[in-house]
Amino acid sequence: MFKHIEHYPGDPILGLVETFNQDSRPEKVNLGIGIYFDEDGKLPVLKCVRTAEIQRAETAQPRSYLPMEGLVAYRTAVQKLLFGADNPALQQERIATIQTLGGSGALKVGADFLHRWFPQAKVYVSDPTWDNHKSIFEGAGFEVGTYPYYNPETIGVKYDEMLAFFKQLPENSILLLHPCCHNPTGVDLSENQWDELLETVKNNKLIPFMDIAYQGFGEDLDNDAYAIRKAVSMNLPLFVSNSFSKNLSFYGERVGGLSIVCPNKEEAALVFGQLKFTVRRIYSSPPAHGAFITAAVMDSEELFAVWQQEVNEMRDRIRQMRRKLYDALTAKLPGKDFSYFIKQRGMFSYTGLSPEQVQRLQDEFAVYLVGSGRMCVAGLNSRNIDYVAEAFAAVLK
Ligand code: LMR
């Protein structure tokens, strides 16, 4: 019966985790998946999360279904974090926000919604992007193309080409954008570039879909939302998918959100209704625990301050690792320019290593990077960094 089923070659990121877990070499280093590990190489349980969980466990909590759109306190918290508590669009009630199963869930619900209401549209993702972006939108029935983004020569953005590409797109083309900490390159647009680009998005009536999974890992929680808030202030229609996987170290709880910024309250109500229907048709309603804890952290002034501090610490540790790797490699290979390690932002660094070099790192040194050459800097710590630099130098010689 199932003979005709095609073989699944595995996911380039999650498949690598499976291979890494099976590797018995004690020196192995996981720089593949985008997970923040602390200085001890452990997945942290944040203090703010622990406190909220203890408080919640003290009273018996009935486990009813959440509504299709998720927990109201959580949805409000998502809106404040993304758009800023005093954003007029919130008072105007023109943002429809639902709780989703992580950032991937938000992308999926957003993609299904868009395909239902804009079936003729085409989706464009950055070249390169997170592999799953393409899969999710194709899975929803879209044709997915790419727009120019990364320039390996300058290790920056092909900004002029990107802008020119946007200018010739037909109305209602959907643009998947990374507001901060671009995955996989770590190369972001400047604020001025965002300003200009969003003008084009507005003039050409394109549909921006901003996927923010690393808020707080670039500059800080507010500055990383610059592009989102700018788009709202320009009265653009906007889709935003967000995730607490990384900045709350809440990966397995699948806490994310989808927000659609609409021109007015009436349209937001229509959109909200259809988002609920989309959720009902896929999984009915989201899980509760992660949303209760996230809302408790965001709603308490004290816990929010603790959280902010913890996000800053994670960001700073990643920056230190970038600097250390830069120093170590510059010392080993003085002829080469490794400044990109310190210029790139967020969890990822596009190393420029070829697939063959990445394979050598894995085979000869048990150092795991994604085949594209993407490295998760947050997998480095002061115990493995010299070993990793040694391995890099060996394959770069
Ligand atoms: C990543 O890019 O490594 C993360 O977002 C995890 C994932 O699901 O791919």
Side-chain angles (χ1 to χ4, degrees):
M1 177 178 268
F2 302 118
K3 275 195 188 125
H4 64 294
I5 307 277
E6 282 174 22
H7 170 70
Y8 173 51
D11 181 79
I13 297 173
L14 301 184
L16 198 65
V17 176
E18 293 168 19
T19 316
F20 178 84
N21 288 341
Q22 282 157 13
D23 192 327
S24 57
R25 291 172 287 180
E27 68 276 21
K28 67 182 179 176
V29 184
N30 187 359
L31 306 176
I33 190 162
I35 291 186
Y36 177 90
F37 294 105
D38 63 15
E39 178 54 26
D40 296 324
K42 301 231 163 64
L43 190 74
V45 177
L46 299 194
K47 286 189 214 86
C48 58
V49 165
R50 196 68 204 110
T51 310
E53 282 183 326
I54 290 167
Q55 284 167 1
R56 186 163 161 75
E58 272 165 6
T59 50
Q61 301 290 341
R63 297 298 205 273
S64 182
Y65 290 122
L66 290 188
M68 292 172 272
E69 68 274 22
L71 189 72
V72 66
Y74 174 85
R75 293 167 37 232
T76 308
V78 165
Q79 292 189 332
K80 285 188 189 158
L81 188 68
L82 292 176
F83 304 104
D86 52 4
N87 196 315
L90 294 181
Q91 274 81 61
Q92 292 154 1
E93 295 175 52
R94 61 185 183 91
I95 307 182
T97 297
I98 61 159
Q99 178 190 333
T100 59
L101 280 76
S104 301
L107 287 158
K108 169 64 179 162
V109 174
D112 276 4
F113 169 89
L114 279 165
H115 196 252
R116 170 97 201 270
W117 299 101
F118 300 85
Q120 307 305 333
K122 201 175 155 186
V123 176
Y124 295 89
V125 298
S126 62
D127 177 22
T129 194
W130 181 51
D131 294 291
N132 213 22
H133 280 148
K134 188 164 181 279
S135 306
I136 289 174
F137 281 94
E138 281 180 350
F142 281 110
E143 198 186 316
V144 180
T146 58
Y147 58 81
Y149 190 78
Y150 182 67
N151 186 344
E153 318 271 280
T154 61
I155 315 201
V157 180
K158 283 182 185 164
Y159 177 69
D160 293 338
E161 281 179 55
M162 181 182 180
L163 188 65
F165 187 85
F166 284 9
K167 284 194 170 147
Q168 52 80 50
L169 285 176
E171 203 174 301
N172 286 342
S173 297
I174 299 159
L175 302 169
L176 200 288
L177 302 163
H178 304 223
C180 69
C181 308
H182 184 266
N183 180 3
T185 66
V187 172
D188 286 338
L189 294 176
S190 69
E191 292 187 358
N192 285 341
Q193 289 173 330
W194 275 118
D195 293 352
E196 191 182 23
L197 202 77
L198 290 173
E199 273 305 327
T200 301
V201 169
K202 184 169 184 161
N203 293 339
N204 289 30
K205 298 195 169 63
L206 308 175
I207 304 176
F209 197 135
M210 296 193 186
D211 184 24
I212 182 162
Y214 300 90
Q215 192 176 358
F217 283 77
E219 290 304 312
D220 57 44
L221 290 169
D222 282 322
N223 280 310
D224 287 354
Y226 176 82
I228 294 171
R229 295 178 191 180
K230 178 73 190 183
V232 177
S233 75
M234 292 168 67
N235 288 323
L236 283 173
L238 174 69
F239 286 66
V240 185
S241 48
N242 78 290
S243 163
F244 290 102
S245 294
K246 333 278 173 172
N247 57 17
L248 209 57
S249 193
F250 235 14
Y251 306 85
E253 293 296 349
R254 311 312 292 134
V255 265
L258 173 68
S259 298
I260 305 184
V261 185
C262 305
N264 54 52
K265 187 176 165 174
E266 291 70 31
E267 286 178 41
L270 296 174
V271 166
F272 189 59
Q274 285 300 328
L275 290 181
K276 288 165 61 167
F277 182 40
T278 309
V279 165
R280 179 62 166 152
R281 288 195 295 184
I282 315 178
Y283 55 83
S284 285
S285 64
H289 178 77
F292 273 106
I293 300 304
T294 307
V297 171
M298 304 291 145
D299 280 348
S300 147
E301 224 174 278
E302 200 188 319
L303 291 184
F304 187 82
V306 174
W307 179 53
Q308 223 166 357
Q309 178 62 27
E310 293 186 290
V311 175
N312 290 346
E313 281 167 17
M314 291 192 275
R315 177 204 61 202
D316 290 346
R317 202 189 79 74
I318 294 172
R319 284 187 182 164
Q320 276 167 18
M321 290 302 121
R322 289 184 175 283
R323 167 64 62 176
K324 285 199 169 154
L325 188 62
Y326 165 78
D327 288 344
L329 282 171
T330 307
K332 284 182 205 303
L333 300 172
K336 287 196 195 296
D337 179 9
F338 292 107
S339 58
Y340 56 90
F341 279 122
I342 33 189
K343 286 190 202 133
Q344 293 160 339
R345 288 145 46 97
M347 250 191 201
F348 301 118
S349 175
Y350 223 38
T351 59
L353 293 179
S354 66
E356 295 73 33
Q357 288 169 321
V358 169
Q359 196 59 48
R360 272 192 68 197
L361 282 177
Q362 187 174 320
D363 295 344
E364 295 173 32
F365 301 94
V367 171
Y368 285 73
L369 267 71
V370 180
S372 61
R374 188 193 83 172
M375 169 177 69
C376 177
V377 185
L380 293 171
N381 57 53
S382 44
R383 273 166 302 112
N384 66 22
I385 196 153
D386 289 336
Y387 176 71
V388 169
E390 199 73 46
F392 269 52
V395 303
L396 279 166
K397 262 191 200 130

